[in-house]
């Protein structure tokens, strides 16, 4: 007797059981179809579709991209790669000398215009935002990269987190991102009004730290999870203005913040990471289940997709593994600090 004949014979005896079995079967087929379609979409996003053409965001037509945290790490790469696509770049971060050096490098190499602004977002001074407004007023802006961010200096239990560190993380990652975006969006809307057919783009740096609740980085984790909800909500609001809004999720990348120098399959350098972001704008990569969100680097995408479709990002098991991973990093960081302190004394 075949499976379906089996089901029919049960149906003769008990239509309720038969109904339940058909329902379970249909739900299973739907779930499998959804996993198949999402997996196919993941593979297409990562390995098949051609790179996004930035002319739709005003590249090579005198438009400007604003990049926060632009003098180092990922921000510096966003600046370089957007300039290489033909956008003028406005660079914001703390250190004037680093900004000047980068501006000269970009102007010489890519023949685009560069403006710089050295401010400390942690100070949260109204004058910072007045300066941004004044300097950006005359520029036809189409792109904003909300890249600036701070994490904990080393993994730390929440109750031991220094108040200044806690405040800086929230001020830089959240308040500065919101205030900067609020200032710049009206300028983007104006540029798009005067340039029909051009789109706007707002990318905000999320993190695996925000994707997965991360013990020992609790404040950073919360700040990045906040950006997920905020950015997706904003994507809904700004769609009618032709502005694409996307949260970019990343696992580790070599940089001053991650304190990792060596690349590996799962840890790209900023150049390769940013290339993956800019070539896949508008696609979800590993974030298949999330609106206006992308996990673009191939190995990060596969890890994200695998966690989401197995234990889940909010599961106890993911939390436990993350806790032991970060406890271990803390132990090693404290050991290193003690060794350096001893060497200094000698
Ligand atoms: N690297 C990773 O593994 C990783 C993983 C996931 C997500 N992310 C996210 O990616 C973004 C960039 O990280 P990154 O690794 O490239 O960081 P990074 O190498 O430490 O660079 C940070 C940049 O932001 C600037 N900056 C820092 N604090 C600032 C402040 N208070 N005011 C103004 N500018 C400030 C720095 O300027 P100065 O050089 O002048 O100080 C520098 O240009 C962050 O949002 C981070 O959370 C990074």
């Amino acid at each position: 007797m075949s499976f379906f004949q089996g089901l029919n014979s049960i149906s003769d005896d008990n239509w309720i059981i038969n109904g339940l079995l058909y329902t379970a079967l249909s739900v299973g087929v739907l779930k499998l179809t959804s996993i198949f379609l999402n997996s196919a979409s993941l593979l297409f996003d990562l390995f098949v579709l051609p790179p996004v053409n930035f002319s739709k965001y005003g590249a090579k037509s005198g438009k400007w991209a604003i990049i926060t945290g632009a003098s180092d790490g990922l921000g510096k790469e966003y600046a370089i790669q957007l300039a290489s696509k033909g956008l003028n770049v406005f660079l914001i971060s703390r250190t004037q000398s680093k900004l000047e050096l980068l501006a000269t490098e970009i102007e010489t190499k890519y023949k685009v215009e560069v403006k710089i602004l050295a401010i400390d977002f942690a100070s949260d001074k109204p004058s910072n935002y007045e300066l941004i407004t004044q300097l950006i007023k005359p520029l036809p802006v189409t792109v904003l990269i909300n890249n600036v961010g701070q994490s904990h200096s080393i993994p730390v239990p929440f109750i031991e987190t220094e108040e200044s560190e806690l405040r800086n993380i929230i001020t830089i990652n959240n308040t500065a991102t919101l205030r900067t975006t609020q200032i710049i969006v009206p300028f983007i809307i104006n540029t798009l009004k005067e340039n029909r057919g051009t789109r706007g783009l707002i990318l905000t740096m999320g993190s695996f730290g925000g994707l997965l609740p991360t013990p020992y980085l609790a404040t950073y984790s919360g700040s990045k999870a906040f950006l997920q909800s905020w950015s997706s909500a904003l994507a809904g609001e700004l769609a009618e203005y032709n502005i694409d809004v996307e949260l970019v999720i990343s696992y580790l990348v070599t940089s001053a913040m991650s304190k990792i120098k060596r690349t590996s399959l799962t840890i790209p350098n900023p150049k390769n990471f940013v290339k993956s972001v800019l070539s896949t704008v508008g696609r979800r990569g590993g974030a298949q289940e999330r609106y206006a969100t992308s996990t673009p680097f191939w190995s990060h995408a596969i890890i994200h997709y695998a966690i989401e479709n197995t234990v889940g990002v909010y599961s106890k098991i993911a939390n436990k593994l993350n806790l032991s991973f970060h406890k271990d990093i803390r132990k090693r960081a404290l050991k290193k600090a003690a060794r350096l302190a001893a060497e200094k004394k000698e």
Side-chain angles (χ1 to χ4, degrees):
M1 190 194 299
S2 76
F3 178 65
F4 289 99
Q5 282 169 330
L7 283 183
N8 284 334
S9 75
I10 292 171
S11 149
D12 293 340
D13 300 334
N14 190 335
W15 63 269
I16 295 177
I17 293 179
N18 198 5
L20 284 173
L21 281 171
Y22 272 117
T23 308
L25 194 64
S26 310
V27 170
V29 168
L30 270 179
K31 182 81 189 156
L32 278 176
T33 309
S34 141
I35 289 177
F36 173 78
L37 289 175
N38 280 340
S39 304
S41 171
L42 168 77
L43 294 175
F44 262 78
D45 284 358
L46 298 182
F47 304 115
V48 180
L49 295 172
V52 166
N53 187 338
F54 263 65
S55 59
K56 68 174 167 180
Y57 298 120
K60 297 196 175 124
S61 65
K63 305 299 183 295
W64 285 77
I66 318 292
I67 300 126
T68 65
S71 61
D72 217 335
L74 275 62
K76 182 176 174 181
E77 267 308 317
Y78 277 117
I80 291 172
Q81 294 190 29
L82 287 170
S84 79
K85 291 179 187 301
L87 280 156
N88 299 316
V89 286
F90 188 105
L91 316 175
I92 308 177
S93 69
R94 262 179 315 198
T95 319
Q96 178 79 17
S97 57
K98 283 161 80 176
L99 286 168
E100 283 171 2
L101 215 66
L102 180 61
T104 310
E105 181 189 329
I106 290 177
E107 279 163 348
T108 317
K109 205 162 171 190
Y110 302 109
K111 313 290 178 224
V112 294
E113 287 182 62
V114 184
K115 288 188 187 296
I116 58 174
L117 174 62
I119 50 171
D120 182 356
F121 279 118
S123 70
D124 199 29
K125 284 189 204 149
S127 61
N128 285 345
Y129 299 106
E130 283 155 21
L131 268 173
I132 296 178
T133 311
Q134 288 314 314
L135 292 170
I136 276 166
K137 224 178 224 168
L139 311 177
V141 181
T142 50
V143 176
L144 166 63
I145 311 288
N146 285 318
N147 166 76
V148 73
Q150 185 183 312
S151 186
H152 300 267
S153 61
I154 63 169
V156 57
F158 175 68
I159 54 166
E160 291 174 32
T161 309
E162 300 250 350
E163 188 188 332
S164 59
E165 184 169 86
L166 184 154
R167 283 188 187 282
N168 282 346
I169 289 173
I170 299 300
T171 307
I172 296 167
N173 298 5
N174 300 143
T175 312
T177 299
L178 267 58
R179 289 292 294 119
T180 306
T181 306
Q182 218 171 29
I183 287 169
I184 288 170
V185 165
F187 290 109
I188 299 183
I189 291 175
N190 267 341
T191 309
L192 301 186
K193 265 188 200 155
E194 287 163 15
N195 296 269
R196 300 275 169 206
T198 302
R199 299 188 68 81
L201 176 65
I202 299 174
L203 298 181
T204 299
M205 277 308 300
S207 168
F208 262 53
L211 175 70
L212 297 146
T214 304
Y216 277 42
L217 297 181
T219 305
Y220 177 74
S221 180
S223 76
K224 291 293 182 179
F226 171 94
L227 290 178
Q228 167 76 79
S229 283
W230 166 77
S231 176
S232 299
L234 189 68
E237 287 186 27
L238 296 185
E240 66 179 286
Y241 297 98
N242 293 329
I243 301 176
D244 300 327
V245 180
E246 185 173 296
L247 186 89
V248 177
I249 297 181
S250 168
Y251 181 56
L252 293 168
V253 178
T254 58
S255 79
M257 177 191 281
S258 68
K259 300 190 181 81
I260 298 175
K261 294 196 178 88
R262 208 181 307 158
T263 59
S264 67
L265 274 188
T266 52
I267 308 177
N269 59 24
K271 185 176 177 180
N272 288 334
F273 178 78
V274 168
K275 191 174 171 207
S276 77
V277 177
L278 298 182
S279 55
T280 62
V281 163
R283 301 169 196 156
R284 296 187 188 178
Q288 287 295 320
E289 85 297 354
R290 292 175 183 225
Y291 170 58
T293 305
S294 175
T295 305
F297 189 74
W298 71 270
S299 57
H300 298 179
I302 290 167
I303 298 170
H304 178 165
Y305 189 72
I307 297 174
E308 196 78 62
N309 287 286
T310 51
V311 294
V313 293
Y314 293 115
S315 63
K316 185 175 175 184
I317 183 165
N319 198 298
K320 265 191 152 178
L321 287 171
N322 223 353
L323 172 65
S324 73
F325 180 64
H326 286 91
K327 265 188 176 172
D328 193 49
I329 298 178
R330 177 172 171 80
K331 215 186 274 171
R332 281 185 279 131
L334 289 176
K335 236 186 215 172
K336 186 177 171 188
R339 197 183 67 233
L340 291 177
E343 279 170 14
K344 218 176 177 184
K345 263 190 194 164
E346 283 167 9

